[in-house]
Amino acid sequence: MATLLAVAVVGPLIACGDDGDDGGDITDSGTGDVSVAATPSSLTMVVYDSFPESGSLTDALAWFTADTGIAVDVVVAGDTGTMVSKAVLTAGNPEGDVMFGVDNTFLSRILEAEVFEDYAAAGLETVPDALTTLVPDGEATPVDFGDVCVNYDVTWFEDHDLEPPGDLEALADPAYAGLLVVENPASSSPGLAFVLASIASFGEDGWRDYWTRLRDNGVEVVDGWTEAYYEQFSGASDGEKPLVVSYGTSPPAEVVFADPPIDEATTAVIDTTCFRQVEFAGVLRGTDHPTEARQLVDFLLTPTFQAELPLNLFVYPANGDVALPEVFTANASLPADPATLDPATIAAGREGWIEQWTDTVLR
Protein backbone atom coordinates (compact mmCIF):
# COMPACT_ATOMS: atom_id res chain seq x y z
CA MET A 1 0.00 0.00 0.00
CA ALA A 2 2.85 2.42 0.77
CA THR A 3 4.16 1.94 -2.75
CA LEU A 4 0.71 2.37 -4.25
CA LEU A 5 0.11 5.55 -2.26
CA ALA A 6 3.39 7.00 -3.39
CA VAL A 7 2.30 6.42 -6.96
CA ALA A 8 -1.14 7.92 -6.38
CA VAL A 9 -0.04 11.04 -4.57
CA VAL A 10 3.48 11.83 -5.75
CA GLY A 11 3.80 10.81 -9.35
CA PRO A 12 1.60 9.90 -12.30
CA LEU A 13 1.57 6.51 -13.92
CA ILE A 14 2.02 5.89 -17.63
CA ALA A 15 -1.39 5.06 -19.08
CA CYS A 16 -1.86 1.39 -19.74
CA GLY A 17 -4.46 -0.64 -21.54
CA ASP A 18 -4.68 -3.30 -24.17
CA ASP A 19 -4.94 -2.49 -27.84
CA GLY A 20 -8.60 -3.39 -27.93
CA ASP A 21 -9.89 -1.02 -25.23
CA ASP A 22 -7.73 1.64 -23.65
CA GLY A 23 -10.62 3.21 -21.72
CA GLY A 24 -9.99 6.54 -23.41
CA ASP A 25 -12.54 9.14 -24.45
CA ILE A 26 -13.98 9.44 -27.93
CA THR A 27 -13.10 12.85 -29.36
CA ASP A 28 -13.74 14.72 -32.57
CA SER A 29 -10.91 16.81 -34.00
CA GLY A 30 -13.37 19.08 -35.78
CA THR A 31 -12.50 17.69 -39.20
CA GLY A 32 -14.85 14.78 -38.91
CA ASP A 33 -12.07 12.41 -37.86
CA VAL A 34 -12.98 10.56 -34.68
CA SER A 35 -10.11 9.38 -32.51
CA VAL A 36 -9.67 7.73 -29.14
CA ALA A 37 -7.94 9.95 -26.57
CA ALA A 38 -5.23 8.35 -24.47
CA THR A 39 -6.07 7.35 -20.93
CA PRO A 40 -4.90 10.15 -18.60
CA SER A 41 -2.06 9.45 -16.19
CA SER A 42 -3.92 11.26 -13.41
CA LEU A 43 -7.22 12.80 -12.42
CA THR A 44 -7.78 15.80 -10.15
CA MET A 45 -10.35 15.47 -7.38
CA VAL A 46 -11.36 18.78 -5.82
CA VAL A 47 -12.27 18.51 -2.13
CA TYR A 48 -13.09 20.71 0.87
CA ASP A 49 -10.59 21.49 3.62
CA SER A 50 -11.88 18.80 6.01
CA PHE A 51 -10.65 16.06 3.69
CA PRO A 52 -7.57 14.49 5.37
CA GLU A 53 -4.23 15.11 3.70
CA SER A 54 -3.04 11.64 4.65
CA GLY A 55 -4.25 8.46 6.31
CA SER A 56 -6.43 5.51 5.41
CA LEU A 57 -8.99 7.54 3.42
CA THR A 58 -6.24 8.88 1.18
CA ASP A 59 -4.64 5.43 1.10
CA ALA A 60 -7.89 4.00 -0.27
CA LEU A 61 -7.46 6.08 -3.42
CA ALA A 62 -4.35 4.04 -4.18
CA TRP A 63 -6.62 1.07 -4.88
CA PHE A 64 -8.26 3.10 -7.65
CA THR A 65 -4.79 3.70 -9.06
CA ALA A 66 -3.92 0.02 -8.80
CA ASP A 67 -7.09 -0.94 -10.63
CA THR A 68 -7.04 1.69 -13.38
CA GLY A 69 -3.46 2.89 -13.67
CA ILE A 70 -4.68 6.44 -13.02
CA ALA A 71 -3.31 8.48 -10.13
CA VAL A 72 -5.62 10.74 -8.12
CA ASP A 73 -4.37 14.24 -7.29
CA VAL A 74 -6.37 15.64 -4.38
CA VAL A 75 -6.72 19.44 -4.46
CA VAL A 76 -8.19 21.32 -1.49
CA ALA A 77 -10.37 24.26 -2.54
CA GLY A 78 -11.24 25.71 0.88
CA ASP A 79 -14.36 25.17 2.97
CA THR A 80 -17.54 23.89 1.35
CA GLY A 81 -18.91 27.33 0.54
CA THR A 82 -15.64 28.49 -1.02
CA MET A 83 -15.27 25.28 -3.00
CA VAL A 84 -18.80 25.62 -4.37
CA SER A 85 -18.30 29.28 -5.29
CA LYS A 86 -15.15 28.46 -7.24
CA ALA A 87 -16.88 25.58 -9.02
CA VAL A 88 -19.81 27.78 -10.03
CA LEU A 89 -17.46 30.42 -11.45
CA THR A 90 -15.57 27.80 -13.48
CA ALA A 91 -18.57 25.69 -14.54
CA GLY A 92 -17.87 24.12 -17.94
CA ASN A 93 -14.16 24.96 -17.66
CA PRO A 94 -13.34 23.21 -14.39
CA GLU A 95 -10.18 23.16 -12.32
CA GLY A 96 -10.45 19.39 -11.91
CA ASP A 97 -12.25 16.27 -13.04
CA VAL A 98 -14.32 15.26 -9.99
CA MET A 99 -15.53 17.23 -6.98
CA PHE A 100 -16.33 15.71 -3.59
CA GLY A 101 -17.99 17.26 -0.54
CA VAL A 102 -20.93 19.36 -1.76
CA ASP A 103 -23.69 19.05 0.84
CA ASN A 104 -27.43 19.53 0.47
CA THR A 105 -27.29 23.10 1.80
CA PHE A 106 -25.30 24.05 -1.33
CA LEU A 107 -26.53 21.40 -3.78
CA SER A 108 -28.98 23.64 -5.65
CA ARG A 109 -26.23 26.15 -6.47
CA ILE A 110 -24.27 23.34 -8.12
CA LEU A 111 -27.30 22.09 -10.04
CA GLU A 112 -28.44 25.54 -11.20
CA ALA A 113 -24.97 26.33 -12.56
CA GLU A 114 -24.70 22.86 -14.16
CA VAL A 115 -21.36 22.31 -12.45
CA PHE A 116 -21.73 18.50 -12.72
CA GLU A 117 -22.63 16.40 -15.71
CA ASP A 118 -25.58 14.07 -15.08
CA TYR A 119 -24.30 10.61 -14.26
CA ALA A 120 -25.94 7.68 -12.48
CA ALA A 121 -23.00 6.06 -10.72
CA ALA A 122 -22.49 2.33 -10.49
CA GLY A 123 -23.36 1.18 -6.99
CA LEU A 124 -26.37 3.44 -6.45
CA GLU A 125 -28.46 0.34 -5.68
CA THR A 126 -26.66 0.20 -2.31
CA VAL A 127 -27.69 3.77 -1.40
CA PRO A 128 -30.95 4.37 0.53
CA ASP A 129 -33.80 6.00 -1.37
CA ALA A 130 -33.83 8.88 1.12
CA LEU A 131 -30.49 9.99 -0.32
CA THR A 132 -30.97 9.22 -4.00
CA THR A 133 -34.34 11.00 -4.19
CA LEU A 134 -32.47 14.28 -3.67
CA VAL A 135 -30.87 13.74 -7.10
CA PRO A 136 -33.34 11.54 -8.99
CA ASP A 137 -31.82 12.15 -12.42
CA GLY A 138 -28.21 11.50 -11.49
CA GLU A 139 -27.37 15.18 -11.04
CA ALA A 140 -24.87 14.20 -8.33
CA THR A 141 -23.87 11.08 -6.39
CA PRO A 142 -24.57 10.76 -2.64
CA VAL A 143 -21.39 9.62 -0.91
CA ASP A 144 -22.07 10.05 2.81
CA PHE A 145 -24.44 11.62 5.33
CA GLY A 146 -24.53 12.84 8.91
CA ASP A 147 -26.31 15.28 11.18
CA VAL A 148 -25.59 18.68 12.66
CA CYS A 149 -26.84 18.58 16.25
CA VAL A 150 -26.41 20.27 19.59
CA ASN A 151 -23.79 18.40 21.65
CA TYR A 152 -23.48 18.65 25.42
CA ASP A 153 -20.80 18.07 28.04
CA VAL A 154 -22.09 15.13 30.08
CA THR A 155 -19.77 15.78 33.05
CA TRP A 156 -20.68 19.48 33.26
CA PHE A 157 -24.39 18.75 33.53
CA GLU A 158 -23.80 16.02 36.10
CA ASP A 159 -21.59 18.30 38.18
CA HIS A 160 -24.22 21.07 38.08
CA ASP A 161 -27.11 18.69 38.80
CA LEU A 162 -28.94 19.97 35.72
CA GLU A 163 -30.75 17.92 33.08
CA PRO A 164 -29.56 18.67 29.52
CA PRO A 165 -32.12 20.47 27.34
CA GLY A 166 -34.47 18.07 25.59
CA ASP A 167 -35.10 19.91 22.31
CA LEU A 168 -34.67 23.14 20.39
CA GLU A 169 -37.35 24.93 22.40
CA ALA A 170 -35.62 24.12 25.68
CA LEU A 171 -32.45 25.90 24.57
CA ALA A 172 -34.30 29.20 25.04
CA ASP A 173 -35.25 28.31 28.62
CA PRO A 174 -33.65 30.59 31.27
CA ALA A 175 -32.29 27.44 32.96
CA TYR A 176 -29.77 27.27 30.08
CA ALA A 177 -28.99 30.98 29.84
CA GLY A 178 -25.48 31.65 28.58
CA LEU A 179 -24.64 27.96 28.04
CA LEU A 180 -24.91 27.61 24.23
CA VAL A 181 -22.34 28.50 21.56
CA VAL A 182 -23.29 28.42 17.86
CA GLU A 183 -21.58 29.21 14.57
CA ASN A 184 -22.43 32.12 12.28
CA PRO A 185 -24.42 30.73 9.31
CA ALA A 186 -22.79 33.25 7.00
CA SER A 187 -19.38 31.67 7.55
CA SER A 188 -20.04 28.14 8.77
CA SER A 189 -21.73 25.06 7.29
CA PRO A 190 -22.89 23.67 10.68
CA GLY A 191 -24.02 27.16 11.63
CA LEU A 192 -26.20 27.31 8.53
CA ALA A 193 -27.51 23.79 9.15
CA PHE A 194 -28.58 24.75 12.67
CA VAL A 195 -30.47 27.77 11.34
CA LEU A 196 -32.14 25.46 8.81
CA ALA A 197 -33.11 23.14 11.66
CA SER A 198 -34.87 26.06 13.36
CA ILE A 199 -36.66 27.01 10.13
CA ALA A 200 -37.79 23.41 9.60
CA SER A 201 -39.02 23.21 13.19
CA PHE A 202 -40.62 26.64 13.72
CA GLY A 203 -41.56 27.58 10.14
CA GLU A 204 -41.19 30.84 8.27
CA ASP A 205 -43.42 32.61 10.76
CA GLY A 206 -41.67 31.46 13.92
CA TRP A 207 -37.98 30.90 13.42
CA ARG A 208 -36.90 34.54 13.86
CA ASP A 209 -38.83 34.78 17.12
CA TYR A 210 -37.03 31.64 18.25
CA TRP A 211 -33.64 33.23 17.55
CA THR A 212 -34.72 36.39 19.35
CA ARG A 213 -35.34 34.25 22.42
CA LEU A 214 -31.97 32.51 22.02
CA ARG A 215 -30.27 35.90 21.72
CA ASP A 216 -32.02 37.14 24.86
CA ASN A 217 -30.95 33.92 26.58
CA GLY A 218 -27.29 34.69 25.98
CA VAL A 219 -26.37 32.53 22.98
CA GLU A 220 -22.73 32.99 21.98
CA VAL A 221 -21.95 33.34 18.25
CA VAL A 222 -18.52 32.58 16.75
CA ASP A 223 -17.31 32.40 13.17
CA GLY A 224 -16.65 28.68 12.78
CA TRP A 225 -16.85 25.17 14.16
CA THR A 226 -13.22 24.95 15.31
CA GLU A 227 -13.57 28.03 17.48
CA ALA A 228 -16.91 26.88 18.86
CA TYR A 229 -15.83 23.31 19.64
CA TYR A 230 -12.18 23.60 20.59
CA GLU A 231 -12.18 27.03 22.23
CA GLN A 232 -15.66 27.56 23.70
CA PHE A 233 -17.08 24.07 24.38
CA SER A 234 -16.25 22.74 27.85
CA GLY A 235 -16.47 19.14 26.63
CA ALA A 236 -13.45 19.53 24.34
CA SER A 237 -11.48 22.45 25.81
CA ASP A 238 -11.16 24.81 28.74
CA GLY A 239 -14.16 26.71 27.40
CA GLU A 240 -17.15 27.62 29.52
CA LYS A 241 -20.00 26.59 27.22
CA PRO A 242 -21.39 23.08 27.88
CA LEU A 243 -23.67 23.25 24.82
CA VAL A 244 -22.35 23.55 21.24
CA VAL A 245 -23.61 23.12 17.71
CA SER A 246 -21.53 20.26 16.30
CA TYR A 247 -22.25 16.84 14.78
CA GLY A 248 -24.05 13.66 15.75
CA THR A 249 -20.73 11.89 15.20
CA SER A 250 -18.59 14.16 17.37
CA PRO A 251 -18.74 11.80 20.41
CA PRO A 252 -16.97 8.90 18.64
CA ALA A 253 -14.31 11.35 17.46
CA GLU A 254 -13.75 12.25 21.11
CA VAL A 255 -13.12 8.57 21.89
CA VAL A 256 -10.87 7.92 18.89
CA PHE A 257 -8.61 10.91 19.55
CA ALA A 258 -8.69 10.91 23.35
CA ASP A 259 -5.32 11.25 25.10
CA PRO A 260 -5.22 9.53 27.52
CA PRO A 261 -7.56 6.90 26.01
CA ILE A 262 -11.18 6.65 27.15
CA ASP A 263 -13.70 3.84 26.73
CA GLU A 264 -16.78 5.95 26.05
CA ALA A 265 -17.53 9.51 25.06
CA THR A 266 -17.93 12.19 27.72
CA THR A 267 -20.03 14.24 25.30
CA ALA A 268 -23.48 13.40 23.95
CA VAL A 269 -26.03 14.57 21.40
CA ILE A 270 -29.52 16.04 21.69
CA ASP A 271 -31.19 14.02 18.92
CA THR A 272 -34.18 16.33 18.59
CA THR A 273 -32.00 19.25 17.47
CA CYS A 274 -30.46 17.58 14.40
CA PHE A 275 -30.44 18.60 10.75
CA ARG A 276 -29.51 15.95 8.17
CA GLN A 277 -26.60 16.76 5.86
CA VAL A 278 -25.83 14.68 2.76
CA GLU A 279 -22.54 15.03 0.88
CA PHE A 280 -22.25 14.48 -2.85
CA ALA A 281 -19.63 13.98 -5.53
CA GLY A 282 -19.88 14.50 -9.26
CA VAL A 283 -18.11 14.61 -12.59
CA LEU A 284 -17.20 18.22 -13.33
CA ARG A 285 -18.79 19.32 -16.59
CA GLY A 286 -16.11 20.14 -19.13
CA THR A 287 -13.49 17.72 -17.85
CA ASP A 288 -11.16 16.44 -20.55
CA HIS A 289 -11.54 12.93 -19.16
CA PRO A 290 -15.23 12.24 -18.49
CA THR A 291 -14.99 8.45 -18.84
CA GLU A 292 -12.24 8.14 -16.26
CA ALA A 293 -13.88 10.73 -14.01
CA ARG A 294 -17.03 8.57 -13.95
CA GLN A 295 -14.86 5.62 -12.92
CA LEU A 296 -13.57 7.65 -9.98
CA VAL A 297 -17.09 8.61 -8.89
CA ASP A 298 -18.03 4.93 -9.09
CA PHE A 299 -15.06 4.12 -6.86
CA LEU A 300 -16.25 6.55 -4.18
CA LEU A 301 -19.27 4.26 -3.62
CA THR A 302 -17.24 1.05 -3.34
CA PRO A 303 -16.73 -0.60 0.07
CA THR A 304 -12.98 0.08 -0.24
CA PHE A 305 -13.54 3.84 -0.02
CA GLN A 306 -16.80 3.88 1.92
CA ALA A 307 -15.41 1.82 4.81
CA GLU A 308 -12.86 4.54 5.55
CA LEU A 309 -15.40 7.37 5.90
CA PRO A 310 -16.66 6.80 9.48
CA LEU A 311 -13.30 7.14 11.25
CA ASN A 312 -11.81 9.74 8.89
CA LEU A 313 -14.61 12.19 8.15
CA PHE A 314 -16.89 10.91 10.94
CA VAL A 315 -19.88 10.51 8.66
CA TYR A 316 -22.08 7.58 7.70
CA PRO A 317 -21.25 5.87 4.39
CA ALA A 318 -23.95 6.16 1.75
CA ASN A 319 -23.37 2.53 0.81
CA GLY A 320 -25.75 0.72 3.15
CA ASP A 321 -23.86 -2.56 2.79
CA VAL A 322 -20.74 -1.23 4.54
CA ALA A 323 -20.25 -2.33 8.16
CA LEU A 324 -19.57 0.40 10.71
CA PRO A 325 -16.75 0.28 13.29
CA GLU A 326 -17.89 -0.53 16.83
CA VAL A 327 -16.38 2.62 18.34
CA PHE A 328 -18.48 4.59 15.85
CA THR A 329 -21.81 2.84 16.43
CA ALA A 330 -21.34 2.77 20.21
CA ASN A 331 -20.89 6.52 20.50
CA ALA A 332 -22.45 8.19 17.45
CA SER A 333 -26.03 9.37 17.34
CA LEU A 334 -28.29 8.67 14.36
CA PRO A 335 -31.61 10.47 14.97
CA ALA A 336 -34.75 8.73 13.80
CA ASP A 337 -36.38 11.90 12.50
CA PRO A 338 -33.83 14.64 11.72
CA ALA A 339 -34.97 17.96 10.33
CA THR A 340 -34.68 18.34 6.57
CA LEU A 341 -35.49 20.90 3.89
CA ASP A 342 -35.70 20.43 0.14
CA PRO A 343 -32.49 21.65 -1.58
CA ALA A 344 -34.53 23.93 -3.86
CA THR A 345 -36.19 25.50 -0.81
CA ILE A 346 -32.76 26.06 0.74
CA ALA A 347 -31.49 27.65 -2.47
CA ALA A 348 -34.46 30.00 -2.68
CA GLY A 349 -34.25 31.08 0.95
CA ARG A 350 -30.59 30.82 1.95
CA GLU A 351 -29.36 34.35 1.34
CA GLY A 352 -32.49 35.98 2.72
CA TRP A 353 -32.48 33.75 5.80
CA ILE A 354 -28.83 34.57 6.56
CA GLU A 355 -29.56 38.29 6.25
CA GLN A 356 -32.61 37.99 8.51
CA TRP A 357 -30.64 35.94 11.03
CA THR A 358 -27.90 38.58 11.08
CA ASP A 359 -30.45 41.35 11.66
CA THR A 360 -32.08 39.36 14.44
CA VAL A 361 -29.07 38.02 16.33
CA LEU A 362 -26.11 40.32 15.67
CA ARG A 363 -27.61 43.79 15.26
Side-chain angles (χ1 to χ4, degrees), residues 38-55:
T39 302
S41 60
S42 66
L43 293 171
T44 296
M45 185 166 75
V46 180
V47 301
Y48 52 28
D49 54 11
S50 295
F51 196 92
E53 295 181 4
S54 61

Side-chain angles (χ1 to χ4, degrees), residues 89 162 231 283 325 349:
L89 290 174
L162 180 64
E231 296 181 21
V283 175

